[in-house]
Amino acid sequence: MLELTIMMNRGKYLVTDDKKRTIYSIKRKLRGEYVIRDVNKYELYELSEGQTMDRHMFYYILLNGKRKATLRCISKFLEPRMELDMDGEILTIRADSPDKLSYTFVKNKKELGNLKILPIARGEYKYELKLEMEIFDDYIPLIPLAVVESIPPTV
């Protein structure tokens, strides 16, 4: 199981592994997109908010400017959850707690990881991800940021 921690540090998020090594950085662009870079500052993926007419947010995960996956908020209040659709394969991120600080990653009815959101200061959070390697990809650390924007914790 892979364990990652995501924390704000000097205007960007740093993603560290269980040995406290920084493996990614995430920065917000001027237009509101998040960009994830590896330790060599190579841009890997971008999380871009999609245009919607309804009340649920959705995002595109872009690789070299091309859509790789769609992350959609399915419900904010009753059974809060999001779905990541990547070429027809669905990964569900569902809330486990009423305060929306704990989530489980589910694929084909199998639990493959969890996300813990820990409030640090007003509007700032520390994210702890524990995932099975079979669902990990470089864009996964972008998901907690979209979750908090779409389904704000009630603390």
Side-chain angles (χ1 to χ4, degrees):
M1 186 165 273
L2 179 67
E3 296 181 20
L4 299 176
T5 302
I6 305 167
M7 255 183 97
M8 178 66 84
N9 184 0
R10 296 185 180 147
K12 62 184 172 185
Y13 291 93
L14 296 180
V15 182
T16 56
D17 63 8
D18 55 346
K19 295 177 183 160
K20 307 292 183 223
R21 296 177 296 197
T22 300
I23 54 174
Y24 302 109
S25 65
I26 301 172
K27 190 160 178 131
R28 190 171 195 136
K29 288 184 168 183
L30 292 175
R31 296 182 312 240
E33 298 96 355
Y34 288 101
V35 175
I36 187 165
R37 293 184 171 99
D38 65 11
V39 292
N40 298 318
K41 296 189 169 69
Y42 179 77
E43 192 171 300
L44 300 169
Y45 287 95
E46 184 176 313
L47 180 74
S48 176
E49 190 174 330
Q51 298 295 321
T52 181
M53 296 299 279
D54 70 16
R55 56 195 163 131
H56 298 295
M57 298 176 80
F58 75 94
Y59 301 88
Y60 295 119
I61 295 174
L62 306 173
L63 175 63
N64 298 325
K66 295 183 180 157
R67 191 179 312 162
K68 177 87 171 165
T70 303
L71 182 61
R72 190 177 306 276
C73 178
I74 303 300
S75 175
K76 287 184 180 188
F77 305 109
L78 299 172
E79 300 178 22
R81 69 187 186 285
M82 295 186 78
E83 285 184 352
L84 176 69
D85 182 351
M86 188 162 170
D87 298 327
E89 289 196 31
I90 305 293
L91 176 68
T92 302
I93 302 113
R94 70 165 193 246
D96 292 336
S97 62
D99 58 7
K100 303 168 189 157
L101 292 173
S102 177
Y103 290 82
T104 300
F105 290 79
V106 179
K107 183 176 180 181
N108 298 328
K109 298 182 182 179
K110 181 180 173 191
E111 292 186 8
L112 296 173
N114 61 54
L115 166 65
K116 302 277 186 229
I117 302 170
L118 308 168
I120 296 175
R122 185 178 178 143
E124 291 206 17
Y125 302 95
K126 174 181 176 182
Y127 308 94
E128 294 178 350
L129 274 169
K130 291 182 183 176
L131 301 167
E132 295 294 335
M133 284 302 294
E134 67 184 80
I135 64 166
F136 182 75
D137 200 333
D138 292 326
Y139 62 79
I140 291 289
L142 294 168
I143 291 175
L145 305 176
V147 167
V148 166
E149 281 190 10
S150 300
I151 308 170
T154 55
V155 288

